[in-house]
Amino acid sequence: MNIADKAKEIIYGDRESCYGDPGKNLRLIAVMWSAYLGIDVTPEQVCDMMVQLKIARLKNTPDHEESKNDIIVTGK
């Protein structure tokens, strides 16, 4: 299994059962961040910012597989 397949399995498996549909979750985060920041934030921007978060984490732990998986799925 390649890393992209593994990432999909994680995101649309265990995590989806815990957090719900990824698209719906991203839309909710966008609404919440928009209210907090006082600007419009799109679900696509949430994805971009989450990828940046994962990249920053990888600077400390470059071999952390979960962050790599998250980047692959979030970045789609």
Side-chain angles (χ1 to χ4, degrees):
M1 177 181 300
N2 66 39
I3 193 166
D5 292 334
K6 184 177 179 182
K8 282 182 186 178
E9 185 178 280
I10 292 167
I11 298 302
Y12 295 103
D14 291 341
R15 287 204 192 149
E16 187 170 11
S17 66
C18 289
Y19 304 124
D21 174 72
K24 184 177 178 181
N25 193 269
L26 289 169
R27 288 188 296 277
L28 176 58
I29 293 168
V31 168
M32 294 176 72
W33 285 6
S34 294
Y36 182 81
L37 295 169
I39 60 171
D40 287 333
V41 177
T42 67
E44 293 80 12
Q45 290 171 314
V46 171
C47 287
D48 293 342
M49 298 304 287
M50 296 301 288
V51 168
Q52 295 300 312
L53 170 77
K54 299 300 180 173
I55 290 170
R57 287 182 176 175
L58 284 170
K59 295 288 186 178
N60 277 333
T61 53
D63 296 327
H64 193 255
E65 290 299 316
E66 184 176 331
S67 290
K68 293 176 186 178
N69 291 334
D70 287 348
I71 288 170
I72 289 168
V73 174
T74 304
K76 285 191 171 188

